Amino acid sequence: MYLALLGMLWFCPRLKGQENSFTINKIEMKAEPGWEVENGKNLTLKCLVDIITTSKLWSQHQLLFYKDDILLKNVTSWDKEETFFIQAARIYDRGNYKCKVILNNKEKTTSDYSVSVKGVPSPRVTVDKMEVMEGSMVTVECSVPEEKPPIYFIVEKLEMDICKQRKEKMILYKNFVTLEFPIEEKDRVLIFQCQAKISFGNFLEASEFTKSDLVTVRETFSTPSFQIIPEGEITEGDPLKLKCTIQVTHMFLEDRELIIQKDREIVAYAKHDTEVTYSPPLAKVEHMGNYTCKVESSKISKVNSIFINITELFSKPELLTSSSHLDEGGKLDLSCQIAGSPLANFTIQKENITITNSQNFTKRVWVQDSGVYRCLAAIRNVIKESDPVQISVFEIVSKPRIYHGSKSEVIQGRSLNLYCQSINGTPPIIYNLCKMNICMITKKMYSNEPALFTVNPSATTEYTCVAKNHHSKGSVTSDVLNVEVIVPVVRVNLSILFHTEVETGKEIMLFCKTDEASWPIHYKLYRHNAVVPFFEKTLNDTQGLFHTFQASKDDEGQYYCTASNRANVPNSPKSNILTIKVTLAPWMKGLIAMVIIGAIIIALVLMARWYFLKKAKAKQMPVEMSRPEPLLNSNTEKMQSDSNMEANSHSGYNDDIGNHTMKPTTEHKEPDHLNMDVEYTEVEVLTPDLPRAPERRGTETVYSEIRKSDSGESRRSRIEGSLDAT
Ligand SMILES: *[C@@H]1O[C@H](CO)[C@@H](O)[C@H](O)[C@H]1NC(C)=O
Ligand SMILES: *[C@@H]1O[C@H](CO)[C@@H](O)[C@H](O)[C@H]1NC(C)=O
Ligand SMILES: *[C@@H]1O[C@H](CO)[C@@H](O)[C@H](O)[C@H]1NC(C)=O
Ligand SMILES: *[C@@H]1O[C@H](CO)[C@@H](O)[C@H](O)[C@H]1NC(C)=O
Ligand SMILES: *[C@@H]1O[C@H](CO)[C@@H](O)[C@H](O)[C@H]1NC(C)=O
Ligand SMILES: *[C@@H]1O[C@H](CO)[C@@H](O)[C@H](O)[C@H]1NC(C)=O
Ligand SMILES: *[C@@H]1O[C@H](CO)[C@@H](O)[C@H](O)[C@H]1NC(C)=O
Ligand SMILES: *[C@@H]1O[C@H](CO)[C@@H](O)[C@H](O)[C@H]1NC(C)=O
């Protein structure tokens, strides 16, 4: 009871200590042996707190250890110091550590303390075999059991400290790696080594290289070796034998193949065997070269090479010829020669058929003797063949025939096919096309078919062709082929001589002309809007035609003409439109004026007379007043008949115009119409608008035939103009 009370008294100040004042003065961390520690070393982290209190006793507080803000340890302590022990620090122990103290409602935390761990423990390396055959595999395992992944592994295959193969691999979820290494033909004693690398933030830590045990490699088969028969110098014609052999380990059961190769060609091979032989019947110069023997299993291949030198017995023969291009009937000399002229047996062949068994051959040749010749030379059992020689025998070309394909005439601007053909003569035949003796196009024909030349003649011209082959006689020329070119009418011009304003009764001279176009040219004159020409004519002249007629008021209007030749049908070009105006003749105007003046004079006379009669009547009696009336009537009648006359003459004129035809009108013919005068007038025509005919003379002579009839009213004339061209 007392004891209990005493105990309570003893504890009382402690319990009451909560009411004491206190402060957390300081909190810090210490590391042993330090903040940087070697991999595998023990590391002790200490948290030191300094609490000041009014009580004499230390109060109980809570201490918490954190790594990267993750709680590691939570202890309730009475002490100033608490430890956190890391046995064998590893890379994954790196990080930022801190500790916190909590007392009642007060707490204090240290700053972050960075722990770094140096180095990676050496990895362990194991191999699955200590002895291995060429072509098989070795499995290498490398591990770092102390560390946590990810780990980057580097494994190397070494022979005599020389790295022969290297493999690298990142392992994410294990701390070991298993890698397979193939064993190759030249591997003998191998060792494998491994390194581990671990990265931590920006830092990379690498281990030392750890070496495995030795791995011994056993040969499956030996490198092939050559045996050459005969030994020593090999001469052409000797029997030749190349033998290639290998030794095979009795344990090796896999399929293998032996190959003898010369350059890129396999000359001999054997399967499942230990030797292979290449034996051409006789050694020849072309057997000289580099021979390779290869042994191949599925994974292993071993190679050996040898150079075989063969001494030439005699050099390759040469077929000499007087000429490879011969005229028919010429002499061919063939001779087979060997450098040094040793004693040999010769054969000369044409197209693989023997023509002689001697060294020389002479013949008069014909076309059939063309062909490929070669010769063979034999000494002992060695036969050598010369290069082929092409002998060509040429028949002279026959006179070529030149002709053109188009049936109709050639129109300017269109192309024309010209053919040239020599029926006889050995091809190739070279044809030359010549225009006015200037040869311009060449064609080579490999048969006697005609050569085609496409030309585009612009004017009538002469063509010849020249044929030539390899015959020495040279070339043969064809006959002349005259190609007539029709120049189409391009432009037509209609003009009028003198003025477009013509008085009635005067002659209208229409002149339709073209630029240079081929004859004959068909001209047509139209009144505007008329479907049928009122005049047409075919002329052998580019200077066109004249058409003359006497103007009447009805001739007023628009005219045009067309011109065409064989090249233009059916669309012939049209000329410009010419407008002609017909005015009254001065004598007609005079006549009308005279009639009017006469009428006025008569009126005045009548008025004067009437005036005097009135005056007289005023003096005498009004009985005579009705006397002038009949006189007046007779005068008006006369005037009416005059105007009728004029109207009638007009209508008669109209009829004439309506019958404008090419034929002379017959209805007005008088019996003496044959009695006409023929006049030849020389007219000077100015041709300012003829830029396309520079050779034309400035003055041109127009012979116009004018027919005069007796009747002045129906006088008609036609002038057919023919201007001297060229
Ligand atoms: C590390 O700690 C372990 C366990 O406490 C102990 O057995 C070992 O001897 C220590 N190593 C060193 C080098 O002090
Ligand atoms: C530490 O442990 C105490 C008692 O075991 C507990 O009350 C407290 O919540 C723990 N603190 C943390 C941060 O877990
Ligand atoms: C023969 O071939 C081997 C292997 O390809 C090569 O090394 C050698 O130079 C060649 N010799 C001749 C003479 O071509
Ligand atoms: C082959 O042998 C001849 C004579 O022994 C020699 O002159 C020649 O250089 C050799 N050819 C080669 C390619 O070795
Ligand atoms: C002629 O012989 C050569 C080689 O000897 C051969 O290549 C060619 O094919 C032969 N020609 C004919 C037509 O038999
Ligand atoms: C063949 O002709 C050559 C000269 O071209 C001559 O030297 C050689 O003796 C001739 N051979 C025979 C067998 O006539
Ligand atoms: C040429 O041929 C004859 C008969 O076949 C042979 O006896 C002779 O040895 C040959 N000459 C040469 C140089 O090969
Ligand atoms: C044009 O000339 C040709 C040949 O010279 C002739 O046949 C033809 O009749 C002539 N035509 C005219 C309209 O004069």
Side-chain angles (χ1 to χ4, degrees), residues 290-563:
N290 210 355
Y291 287 81
T292 303
C293 184
K294 265 188 201 168
V295 195
E296 286 176 333
S297 70
S298 60
K299 287 179 188 130
I300 301 290
S301 157
K302 293 187 181 185
V303 179
N304 197 3
S305 282
I306 193 168
F307 182 77
I308 304 280
N309 190 355
I310 293 167
T311 313
E312 201 175 43
L313 187 63
F314 63 100
S315 62
K316 185 173 159 174
E318 195 186 355
L319 183 65
L320 302 176
T321 168
S322 46
S323 169
S324 61
H325 283 56
L326 291 147
D327 290 351
E328 204 173 42
K331 193 166 139 259
L332 171 69
D333 284 313
L334 292 172
S335 178
C336 197
Q337 300 285 337
I338 311 173
S341 307
L343 209 62
N345 284 337
F346 294 97
T347 305
I348 296 177
Q349 292 183 338
K350 181 201 170 205
E351 316 280 359
N352 295 4
I353 293 159
T354 302
I355 52 170
T356 181
N357 278 319
S358 61
Q359 189 181 3
N360 299 330
F361 180 71
T362 300
K363 190 182 189 292
R364 194 158 290 280
V365 285
W366 304 103
V367 174
Q368 311 81 265
D369 293 316
S370 293
V372 178
Y373 289 75
R374 70 183 87 221
C375 80
L376 307 170
I379 296 179
R380 293 197 293 159
N381 44 15
V382 179
I383 300 172
K384 289 194 180 182
E385 195 177 280
S386 73
D387 285 334
V389 175
Q390 170 73 49
I391 302 284
S392 306
V393 182
F394 293 96
E395 180 193 13
I396 191 161
V397 283
S398 59
K399 181 177 176 171
R401 189 167 80 89
I402 185 165
Y403 57 98
H404 63 79
S406 57
K407 304 268 184 295
S408 57
E409 294 137 317
V410 184
I411 292 169
Q412 189 190 44
R414 306 221 185 128
S415 60
L416 170 70
N417 284 347
L418 287 179
Y419 297 92
C420 189
Q421 182 179 26
S422 280
I423 303 287
N424 295 313
T426 311
I429 303 174
I430 294 159
Y431 293 97
N432 256 297
L433 183 70
C434 312
K435 181 177 166 183
M436 307 297 267
N437 293 329
I438 296 158
C439 300
M440 40 193 190
I441 322 170
T442 301
K443 262 225 165 122
K444 196 169 189 178
M445 294 300 291
Y446 292 92
S447 71
N448 289 92
E449 291 299 304
L452 166 67
F453 296 94
T454 302
V455 291
N456 214 330
S458 56
T460 298
T461 185
E462 286 176 356
Y463 287 100
T464 50
C465 77
V466 181
K468 195 176 131 183
N469 66 355
H470 290 293
H471 192 280
S472 61
K473 277 281 161 58
S475 50
V476 186
T477 307
S478 73
D479 288 334
V480 171
L481 175 72
N482 199 30
V483 172
E484 196 185 327
V485 175
I486 302 177
V487 181
V489 177
V490 178
R491 264 203 297 266
V492 193
N493 184 272
L494 180 66
S495 55
I496 184 165
L497 250 63
F498 313 124
H499 296 289
T500 50
E501 211 171 291
V502 189
E503 290 168 3
T504 50
K506 284 276 168 63
E507 275 165 359
I508 292 175
M509 291 172 93
L510 291 178
F511 180 40
C512 185
K513 65 172 195 259
T514 67
D515 39 23
E516 303 112 61
S518 297
W519 300 352
I521 300 172
H522 191 66
Y523 294 91
K524 287 179 183 174
L525 269 171
Y526 288 88
R527 284 200 70 146
H528 197 46
N529 295 333
V531 182
V532 211
F534 69 87
F535 181 70
E536 57 185 306
K537 181 93 182 155
T538 303
L539 287 180
N540 276 350
D541 200 332
T542 54
Q543 285 303 300
L545 89 162
F546 265 124
H547 180 62
T548 309
F549 53 92
Q550 230 168 8
S552 81
K553 199 66 187 164
D554 283 344
D555 294 331
E556 209 168 69
Q558 292 180 316
Y559 293 84
Y560 69 88
C561 72
T562 64

Side-chain angles (χ1 to χ4, degrees), residues 125-130 138-141 192 212-215:
V125 191
T126 54
V127 286
D128 66 336
K129 302 179 195 84
M130 307 300 270
V138 168
T139 306
V140 180
E141 193 188 287
F192 294 88
S212 73
D213 295 326
L214 289 177
V215 176

Side-chain angles (χ1 to χ4, degrees), residues 223-240:
T223 301
S225 62
F226 273 112
Q227 194 190 350
I228 311 295
I229 299 160
E231 277 177 46
E233 195 187 327
I234 306 163
T235 310
E236 256 185 314
D238 289 344
L240 177 66

Side-chain angles (χ1 to χ4, degrees), residues 156-252:
E156 291 178 341
K157 181 173 104 174
L158 304 177
E159 173 144 38
M160 312 281 283
D161 286 336
I162 292 157
C163 176
K164 293 184 117 183
Q165 201 178 355
R166 178 189 176 102
K167 286 188 175 185
E168 300 186 18
K169 201 161 184 181
M170 183 79 181
I171 303 295
L172 293 176
Y173 304 109
K174 292 182 289 183
N175 52 15
F176 66 93
V177 70
T178 310
L179 294 169
E180 284 203 315
F181 283 85
I183 305 304
E184 284 148 350
E185 41 270 31
K186 282 177 188 122
D187 295 342
R188 289 291 165 264
V189 178
L190 299 174
I191 206 157
F192 294 88
Q193 66 176 16
C194 176
Q195 183 185 37
K197 286 182 176 176
I198 299 172
S199 66
F200 193 89
N202 284 334
F203 301 95
L204 180 79
E205 292 292 332
S207 76
E208 298 287 303
F209 273 101
T210 311
K211 285 191 162 69
S212 73
D213 295 326
L214 289 177
V215 176
T216 324
V217 181
R218 290 187 59 182
E219 250 192 339
T220 46
F221 45 76
S222 66
T223 301
S225 62
F226 273 112
Q227 194 190 350
I228 311 295
I229 299 160
E231 277 177 46
E233 195 187 327
I234 306 163
T235 310
E236 256 185 314
D238 289 344
L240 177 66
K241 199 170 182 183
L242 266 91
K243 201 159 136 188
C244 176
T245 49
I246 51 163
Q247 274 88 50
V248 181
T249 313
H250 67 276
M251 282 149 68
F252 185 71

Side-chain angles (χ1 to χ4, degrees), residues 68-79:
D68 297 329
D69 298 328
I70 294 160
L71 183 65
L72 294 173
K73 191 178 176 187
N74 176 2
V75 288
T76 306
S77 168
W78 291 95
D79 294 327

